[in-house]
């Protein structure tokens, strides 16, 4: 699995850089809150697209996402709920140490998101088509957008202007060269 490891590292670095770019965090959280999708899966798919990886069939995307979505619901959302409960209860109970605990749980949530990407990428590499050559910046942004919209379509039957704006904000740093496509 050396190829998977290198891809996973490159995608994680890309995820951190993209999520930190202006406008991306808000766009991702908007999509998560309105549709219930997983931000780490969305960013992993965006990164895979930017690398030039394509799903050979819609079933390949389904296969790649099966374990990642289960991990999302069974692990990430449980940890996120705990983190949010700690914040609420810590404030309500005036517990000064609750903030430190919340930070530790947030670290666990981020690690769970990294592992989710690892699961998705391991399956993706088995079911998708690798790029012959790395795409240029324009192609990378187009492929990333295709993956983002295909993932979003799993959660909503019709995309609205807010969805389009969120995906545009997600892709802007890649299109504008503020974030480079991932390279293993």
């Amino acid at each position: 699995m050396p190829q998977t490891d290198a891809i996973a590292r490159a995608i994680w670095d890309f995820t951190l850089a993209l999520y930190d770019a202006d406008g991306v965090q808000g766009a991702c959280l908007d999509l998560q809150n309105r549709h219930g999708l997983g931000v780490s899966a969305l960013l992993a798919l965006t990164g895979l697209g930017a690398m030039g990886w394509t799903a050979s069939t819609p079933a390949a995307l389904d296969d790649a996402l099966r374990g990642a979505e289960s991990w999302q619901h069974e692990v990430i959302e449980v940890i996120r709920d705990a983190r949010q409960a700690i914040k609420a209860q810590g404030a309500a109970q005036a517990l000064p140490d609750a903030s430190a605990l919340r930070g530790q749980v947030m670290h666990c949530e981020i690690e769970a998101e990294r592992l989710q990407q690892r699961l998705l990428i391991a399956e993706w590499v088995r079911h998708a088509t690798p790029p012959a050559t790395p795409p240029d910046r324009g192609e990378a942004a187009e492929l990333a957008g295709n993956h983002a919209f295909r993932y979003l379509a799993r959660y909503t039957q019709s995309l609205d202007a807010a969805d389009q704006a969120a995906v545009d904000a997600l892709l802007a740093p890649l299109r504008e060269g503020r974030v480079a496509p991932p390279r293993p």
Side-chain angles (χ1 to χ4, degrees):
M1 295 252 212
Q3 181 183 24
T4 300
D5 292 341
I7 294 168
R9 279 190 301 278
I11 295 291
W12 184 247
D13 291 343
F14 171 80
T15 292
L16 296 176
L18 187 60
Y19 194 75
D20 195 42
D22 288 341
V24 174
Q25 180 180 7
C28 289
L29 294 177
D30 174 60
L31 291 170
Q32 176 181 280
N33 293 335
R34 288 188 305 112
H35 299 297
L37 59 76
V39 170
S40 61
L42 172 66
L43 294 172
L45 289 169
T46 301
L48 286 163
M51 288 178 82
W53 283 82
T54 58
S56 52
T57 66
L61 178 64
D62 292 339
D63 290 343
L65 284 168
R66 190 169 292 113
E69 288 181 332
S70 175
W71 185 264
Q72 176 74 32
H73 300 304
E74 299 296 324
V75 178
I76 294 171
E77 290 173 7
V78 171
I79 296 170
R80 181 177 302 127
D81 289 346
R83 177 179 53 80
Q84 291 170 344
I86 292 166
K87 181 179 180 182
Q89 285 298 310
Q93 304 296 329
L95 293 171
D97 295 338
S99 179
L101 176 60
R102 182 173 174 267
Q104 292 170 350
V105 174
M106 182 180 288
H107 178 75
C108 291
E109 183 180 353
I110 293 167
E111 180 61 12
E113 290 171 337
R114 187 188 67 77
L115 292 173
Q116 179 194 38
Q117 286 192 354
R118 180 72 172 77
L119 284 168
L120 191 155
I121 291 162
E123 285 302 309
W124 188 270
V125 169
R126 290 176 14 142
H127 297 284
T129 306
T133 59
D136 64 32
R137 188 172 71 201
E139 292 169 323
E142 181 180 340
L143 291 167
N146 291 344
H147 285 354
F149 282 118
R150 285 180 66 190
Y151 182 57
L152 182 56
R154 294 171 63 87
Y155 290 89
T156 182
Q157 293 193 351
S158 63
L159 301 175
D160 61 22
D163 296 329
Q164 181 66 52
V167 174
D168 286 346
L170 170 67
L171 297 174
L174 188 59
R175 284 187 183 126
E176 296 165 3
R178 292 183 283 134
V179 172
R183 299 287 182 248

